Amino acid sequence: MFHRTRWIAAAAAVAIAGLGLTGCSSSGSGSDKGATVSYMTWESNTTNSALDKTMAKFAKSSGIKVTREAAPNADYAQKLASLILSKKAPDFFWCTTAEAQNLASEGLLYDFSSKLDSGSGLKASGFAPGSLSLWKSKDGKVTGIPTLANTYGFYYNADTFKSAGLTVPKAGWTWDDLYNDIAKLKAADPSGTPLINQWPLLTSPQGASAYSVANGGKPFVNSFIHTTKVQADSTFVDGVSKFAAAIKAGQMTNPDYDATNAMAAFSNGSVPLMFGGQWLQNFIAPNHPKMSWGFAPWPVGTKGNVQPIEANGVCSPSTIKNPDAVWKTISYLDTTGFNEAMKTNPVAPIAYTAGSKGYYASLEAAGDPASLSIGASAKYELAAKDKFVTEFLDPWATKAANIVTTSWNPALEGKTSVDAGVGSTVSGIKGLIAQ
């Protein structure tokens, strides 16, 4: 399973303490051949097994020994924090954008700027629009390399849409289409829940920001990272008002909705529309839904197509002993390695475009409408030039979550006015930035 945030609190605490990271197993700075490169992931056993197989091929062809350090998925944060504290961090490790920003601010991560476009390995132009920029530090250093990318959209029950006289969602559908569809679905089934927000992104400040920009308004924050300004113009407020109205009408679930059984509800046909990430396919498909279903990307607005950008990545300690060997290994991983691993276990597309071929090939080989729609939606989202970030990435992000809970969510639920909720959210985050 592919998650976004793992160990930000632990990593930030270590970073603030200023502890050094030392690659634990790289050989000297001479030839790559004979070098040893260690890495650690948070992936499932299935994905790790696929990575082991492809890394074995790389080791044989390159002469670089690659070792994966064990890290149980549930204990990744504790494991990595322990390695950092003992100065035995691997040569590269899975991390989120927010985590990389925190560690980079303390000078603890290796700068890959000189490696990109060096003629050996990855090229900056090879990444999906917007993805690499999230991994740059405030002074322009490239302190992480994006890998597995999340795409977000709407799982739909095609049979229910057809019976309601609606066209199924697809690339290019609009925000107006979304609200029209959930209203008609609710009218057709007054006791049902037409749109389950399985992942909180849709009605978050980021989701409202996407609505605003796509419809000619301003974004909520002036920069994906290193934010200095927060704003909420009339178009942004209009987007929040639409969320609140849909929730009040029972057309969309509220922020406190327990989505534990959402995938099961969708799979058994009781929910016609569910918002979530592409990785949910790996939970829905095994349930063998009896209905025809598919996946559609984020809606477009009257002024353009704005799609989410979210990619986890890999980071290296600033003191790795053989950067060339590490870079060669990461470059292999982001291209051939992920192509092979995702072909056997399609978790997510890769931010480096050439590395997504295996993921798409797996979905195309499946051949069913659902798999094909997921692949098409992922390509569409990643290729979009205008993007919005799916979470706050600055050091104040954790505290901002509390503001969303106490100010933003009550406005969506009708417990306070939209203007008041948006206003207090803006002022609260402005206060965090000022601190």
Side-chain angles (χ1 to χ4, degrees):
M1 185 175 179
F2 185 47
H3 291 286
R4 301 185 302 165
T5 302
R6 295 281 174 171
W7 47 275
I8 184 170
V14 172
I16 292 172
L19 298 176
L21 286 77
T22 303
C24 64
S25 58
S26 292
S27 64
S29 60
S31 172
D32 295 340
K33 203 161 188 176
T36 297
V37 173
S38 62
Y39 76 106
M40 188 167 69
T41 89
W42 58 49
E43 301 297 339
S44 66
N45 291 334
T46 301
T47 301
N48 279 332
S49 294
L51 290 172
D52 289 343
K53 290 180 181 179
T54 189
M55 284 301 192
K57 294 181 181 179
F58 169 72
K60 186 175 181 179
S61 63
S62 68
I64 298 173
K65 182 181 179 181
V66 182
T67 62
R68 178 175 59 81
E69 297 190 9
N73 190 290
D75 298 325
Y76 187 85
Q78 294 85 343
K79 173 72 172 180
L80 186 56
S82 175
L83 291 173
I84 292 174
L85 287 168
S86 61
K87 298 183 179 180
K88 294 182 179 179
D91 292 310
F92 68 91
F93 47 85
W94 264 224
C95 59
T96 69
T97 315
E99 294 153 3
Q101 290 295 330
N102 280 323
L103 292 171
S105 68
E106 295 296 320
L108 301 176
L109 297 181
Y110 183 82
D111 176 16
F112 289 106
S113 298
S114 64
K115 300 298 182 183
L116 278 171
D117 299 320
S118 64
S120 175
L122 307 174
K123 298 180 179 180
S125 61
F127 291 93
S131 56
L132 187 60
S133 63
L134 301 182
W135 295 83
K136 291 184 178 180
S137 63
K138 196 169 185 178
D139 56 0
K141 295 178 180 178
V142 179
T143 53
I145 299 298
T147 54
L148 292 159
N150 267 342
T151 55
Y152 290 92
F154 299 79
Y155 289 88
Y156 59 84
N157 182 328
D159 295 340
T160 302
F161 268 73
K162 183 178 180 180
S163 64
L166 298 171
T167 301
V168 298
K170 61 181 179 181
W173 74 314
T174 68
W175 282 96
D176 286 343
D177 291 333
L178 168 62
Y179 286 112
N180 176 67
D181 289 350
I182 60 177
K184 289 187 176 181
L185 289 168
K186 182 64 176 180
D189 182 12
S191 64
T193 305
L195 199 165
I196 282 184
N197 190 15
Q198 194 276 341
W199 196 259
L201 171 62
L202 177 61
T203 55
S204 69
Q206 289 79 11
S209 184
Y211 171 91
S212 179
V213 175
N215 288 284
K218 294 181 179 180
F220 187 61
V221 295
N222 68 329
S223 177
F224 291 168
I225 50 177
H226 318 307
T227 300
T228 59
K229 184 178 180 181
V230 183
Q231 58 198 350
D233 65 7
S234 60
T235 307
F236 180 90
V237 174
D238 178 59
V240 183
S241 297
K242 287 181 182 296
F243 291 149
I247 291 171
K248 182 178 180 180
Q251 299 164 2
M252 184 184 297
T253 52
N254 64 49
D256 293 329
Y257 178 79
D258 183 358
T260 302
N261 298 316
M263 287 178 286
F266 177 81
S267 299
N268 66 29
S270 61
V271 175
L273 196 62
M274 179 180 72
F275 176 82
Q278 90 291 325
W279 69 87
L280 298 182
Q281 178 209 16
N282 293 320
F283 297 87
I284 297 171
N287 289 325
H288 303 292
K290 295 181 180 180
M291 77 282 189
S292 175
W293 61 285
F295 183 74
W298 203 268
V300 303
T302 57
K303 301 297 182 180
N305 175 27
V306 181
Q307 297 293 325
I309 180 68
E310 179 182 289
N312 286 334
V314 294
C315 298
S316 289
S318 59
T319 52
I320 49 176
K321 297 178 180 178
N322 196 328
D324 289 341
V326 173
W327 177 247
K328 185 176 290 186
T329 306
I330 291 174
S331 295
Y332 173 86
L333 174 69
D334 235 6
T335 54
T336 306
F338 277 129
N339 269 327
E340 294 185 355
M342 293 300 112
K343 192 171 184 179
T344 59
N345 185 38
V347 176
I350 309 304
Y352 197 73
T353 305
S356 285
K357 294 178 182 177
Y359 174 75
Y360 296 130
S362 177
L363 297 176
E364 291 166 4
D368 60 278
S371 295
L372 295 176
S373 67
I374 290 170
S377 293
K379 288 181 180 180
Y380 175 81
E381 288 195 11
L382 289 177
K385 293 183 179 180
D386 293 327
K387 300 286 178 59
F388 72 95
V389 70
T390 60
E391 61 180 330
F392 297 122
L393 299 175
D394 289 302
W396 43 261
T398 302
K399 292 181 179 179
N402 295 329
I403 294 174
V404 170
T405 299
T406 58
S407 298
W408 182 270
N409 290 352
L412 293 182
E413 297 170 329
K415 296 177 181 179
T416 186
S417 71
V418 168
D419 286 339
V422 171
S424 58
T425 301
V426 170
S427 61
I429 294 179
K430 281 183 176 179
L432 294 179
I433 294 174
Q435 293 175 18

